[in-house]
Amino acid sequence: MGAVWGITRQGARKKWPDAVVRTPATASAALGLFGGTAELTLDPSSRRWTWTARGADGERGAAGADTGCATREEAAAYAGAFLQGHAAP
């Protein structure tokens, strides 16, 4: 768009900040910690990350249905804390 208007790419991003929505290369990720596993998933409609996990002790956990995290790293931190709390004895 910037080339058509004769401005730089950075100028075009400032002028039209929502013109292009970037999606992550992957919309899911797996995490293994403390003997358990977690799946991180990006909800395309809300653009929020959620997680589901199974601890080493067999306990299951997940982000609340109406909650989510702004970044994959934030979701990984919550899932990691769950897995740490449910590590094998």
Side-chain angles (χ1 to χ4, degrees):
M1 286 176 60
V4 173
W5 284 86
I7 58 177
T8 65
R9 181 180 66 223
Q10 291 81 9
R13 285 188 183 169
K14 284 183 180 180
K15 189 169 183 74
W16 302 287
D18 297 323
V20 177
V21 176
R22 293 184 182 256
T23 57
T26 60
S28 66
L31 180 67
L33 292 171
F34 305 105
T37 58
E39 178 76 21
L40 311 174
T41 308
L42 178 63
D43 179 4
S45 62
S46 68
R47 308 287 305 149
R48 306 280 296 170
W49 287 88
T50 60
W51 60 271
T52 57
R54 182 179 178 119
D57 62 357
E59 189 73 25
R60 293 185 181 270
D66 59 344
T67 62
C69 301
T71 65
R72 179 173 36 192
E73 292 78 14
E74 183 182 2
Y78 281 109
F82 173 85
L83 292 174
Q84 184 178 19
H86 294 279

